[in-house]
Amino acid sequence: MITFKSQCVIGFSVWIILSCGLSPVCAVPVRAGCEVIGEEIEDFHAQGEAMAITFPILEANIWYRELPEDNSTVFQLFHSKHHDLSKQAHRVVQQGRTLWLLPSLSSDSGTYTYVFSSDTFCLTGSFTVTIYEKGKEDMEMMSYPVSSKPGKDLTIECPHINHFNRLESSHWFKGFHAGVPLINETRYTILSGDKLSLTIRNVSAEDEGLYTCWLMVIINNEQYNVSRTWKLRVLSPVTSVPETHTEATTRSREVTQTSPILPPLHITTPVNGSVVESSLGSSLVIQCKAFVGYESADVTELTWLVDGQSVGGSHLHGRVFQEAKRVSAGHVEALLVFLEVHKEDTRAELKCVALNLSGKQEVVIQIKLEDSMLPWLVVALVASGFFMLVLCVFVQLLCRQRRKHDYILARQNSTF
């Protein structure tokens, strides 16, 4: 006699669903029901100036995915300290997907989390900003690094000012606070208009230092100040260093050196030959960070290559891009951003290259898709469980009908 216990099959199926759930099937990171698309690049500013907070990685995702915007589309912003930004509506103004600080205060520092959603999608991410109090600015973090060889002409532009309606009162200074005003003359050329730029002719060692562009802007018919600062590093002429030879003499250690000793390049992240796991269809940010020392951080180039080509010239262009280099505390950092990971990305050779006067270092990594067998195994087990359940019910019904038929026949053959 064979007995089918359908209760055991039901319990096993429910246990599979409750233990494994459907989360492994979803390959994209999710927080509170929204797809996480990563963190924006951290920014640094001085208080008292107008500031526009935008979200380039979010905008790139919207453009790449061709997300529709209709009456159901909502963009919400939350601050790590001020949970309700609407209470500061007189100074903190949200226009579309841009947040204006008019003006910015040190209390605005922190992490801003956004949720961009509609009836068909939901994306979330974050942006961290630091606003320094006046007189306590960290120029290493606030300034944009630039380098030039002696005797060359250098042109720098006032960066990230396209959001502002500018007045004619724009100036360049040598330095930051109480800097020396620069005017058009033989060595300096200042251009205004769409691109506020400064050209320094015949750069020399005396030109090294900070250069600040200052301008007056108009927002909602109010005037505010905005400034941006470059940090110019003038490269020293490279002097060759004679090779040392290992000899059994005391003079083998005597090396004549006419240029400063630069620390060797060392890429700390990622490790050469490492594999980065990601989910199919999800966004991905890969960090390349190198320690180069304080003396050569500004003049170090950090570049991502895809199969030996620049990211912009590779077959991943449009879906993958490199963020601008960041310099901090003797380190340089460059981020490689994937808006959406495809299967073909696993076959690409991703290389981070660091280069400066002390040498060159490369690290190569690859992307690996997370194991997708588990979701299919879960689905197969659940399907098998339901199949066994249906089979048990069918067999039990068949057995009941058979027993009932046998009982009727037995009654008919009985004698009362």
Side-chain angles (χ1 to χ4, degrees):
M1 181 179 179
I2 301 177
T3 304
F4 292 93
K5 295 184 178 180
S6 60
Q7 183 178 0
C8 295
V9 178
I10 296 175
F12 180 67
S13 302
V14 173
W15 177 81
I16 291 176
I17 297 174
L18 293 180
S19 299
C20 301
L22 296 179
S23 57
V25 181
C26 182
V28 180
V30 174
R31 182 192 303 142
C34 291
E35 179 183 344
V36 180
I37 61 173
E39 296 183 1
E40 304 281 344
I41 304 302
E42 189 173 2
D43 206 357
F44 306 87
H45 288 274
Q47 76 168 9
E49 299 184 354
M51 179 180 174
I53 297 179
T54 58
F55 306 90
I57 294 181
L58 171 63
E59 298 299 332
N61 270 274
I62 295 173
W63 170 82
Y64 173 72
R65 303 183 187 199
E66 298 181 350
L67 298 179
E69 299 185 52
D70 50 35
N71 294 332
S72 67
T73 305
V74 178
F75 182 76
Q76 296 174 293
L77 270 174
F78 309 93
H79 190 269
S80 56
K81 299 177 182 177
H82 312 296
H83 299 288
D84 189 1
L85 295 175
S86 61
K87 293 182 178 180
Q88 303 187 58
H90 63 287
R91 187 183 61 84
V92 181
V93 180
Q94 180 179 336
Q95 292 181 344
R97 292 190 293 272
T98 300
L99 185 69
W100 294 92
L101 305 179
L102 305 171
S104 61
L105 302 178
S106 59
S107 58
D108 295 325
S109 299
T111 300
Y112 293 81
T113 302
Y114 63 80
V115 175
F116 181 56
S117 61
S118 74
D119 295 338
T120 57
F121 62 84
C122 185
L123 305 179
T124 184
S126 60
F127 170 85
T128 300
V129 62
T130 301
I131 309 295
Y132 296 101
E133 296 181 12
K134 189 174 182 179
K136 299 182 179 180
E137 296 88 350
D138 186 343
M139 300 312 302
E140 289 293 331
M141 303 301 294
M142 285 181 52
S143 60
Y144 298 83
V146 64
S147 60
S148 176
K149 294 181 179 179
K152 300 291 184 178
D153 293 347
L154 173 68
T155 298
I156 54 179
E157 297 180 357
C158 200
H160 306 300
I161 58 174
N162 295 331
H163 298 288
F164 304 106
N165 295 320
R166 301 184 290 278
L167 294 176
E168 292 299 325
S169 55
S170 55
H171 307 280
W172 280 93
F173 297 89
K174 176 70 181 297
F176 185 60
H177 285 304
V180 178
L182 300 178
I183 58 176
N184 281 310
E185 54 180 31
T186 305
R187 295 201 59 236
Y188 302 114
T189 300
I190 299 174
L191 295 180
S192 57
D194 293 337
K195 292 184 177 180
L196 179 60
S197 65
L198 168 68
T199 298
I200 306 174
R201 292 188 176 85
N202 192 21
V203 172
S204 63
E206 290 74 19
D207 294 318
E208 193 168 81
L210 301 177
Y211 290 83
T212 301
C213 59
W214 179 92
L215 60 154
M216 185 79 74
V217 301
I218 301 177
I219 305 173
N220 295 336
N221 297 321
E222 295 288 337
Q223 295 185 4
Y224 299 93
N225 295 332
V226 170
S227 67
R228 302 285 187 264
T229 302
W230 287 91
K231 183 179 181 181
L232 171 60
R233 171 75 181 277
V234 179
L235 305 178
S236 302
V238 180
T239 305
S240 59
V241 180
E243 295 183 359
T244 60
H245 301 277
T246 305
E247 300 177 359
T249 63
T250 58
R251 297 185 60 186
S252 62
R253 297 184 181 180
E254 296 177 3
V255 179
T256 303
Q257 197 161 345
T258 57
S259 60
I261 300 176
L262 296 178
L265 282 170
H266 176 54
I267 297 180
T268 58
T269 304
V271 177
N272 188 40
S274 59
V275 176
V276 178
E277 287 195 355
S278 181
S279 303
L280 186 66
S282 66
S283 58
L284 174 66
V285 178
I286 305 176
Q287 177 195 52
C288 183
K289 190 172 185 179
F291 174 75
V292 295
Y294 289 91
E295 294 298 323
S296 55
D298 292 345
V299 297
T300 299
E301 297 296 331
L302 200 61
T303 308
W304 279 100
L305 300 178
V306 177
D307 293 331
Q309 296 182 321
S310 65
V311 178
S314 71
H315 62 284
L316 303 183
H317 175 63
R319 183 167 52 84
V320 181
F321 61 93
Q322 176 181 334
E323 284 286 352
K325 180 185 73 173
R326 275 287 183 185
V327 178
S328 63
H331 289 79
V332 291
E333 176 189 48
L335 300 181
L336 185 65
V337 180
F338 287 74
L339 297 178
E340 186 175 304
V341 174
H342 290 182
K343 188 175 181 179
E344 65 186 73
D345 300 338
T346 61
R347 298 187 292 270
E349 179 191 72
L350 306 178
K351 181 186 295 184
C352 182
V353 181
L355 176 67
N356 65 15
L357 296 177
S358 70
K360 178 181 180 181
Q361 187 185 8
E362 302 177 349
V363 296
V364 178
I365 67 169
Q366 282 190 313
I367 294 178
K368 176 184 177 182
L369 296 180
E370 294 178 349
D371 190 4
S372 59
M373 289 301 296
L374 179 59
W376 290 108
L377 178 61
V378 172
V379 173
L381 289 174
V382 173
S384 299
F386 280 111
F387 175 77
M388 292 298 296
L389 173 62
V390 173
L391 181 61
C392 289
V393 173
F394 175 76
V395 171
Q396 283 191 344
L397 291 175
L398 185 62
C399 291
R400 288 180 181 178
Q401 289 180 355
R402 182 62 180 272
R403 287 198 299 269
K404 182 177 181 180
H405 179 69
D406 293 342
Y407 175 75
I408 293 174
L409 291 178
R411 288 288 304 271
Q412 289 176 349
N413 294 330
S414 300
T415 302
F416 294 94

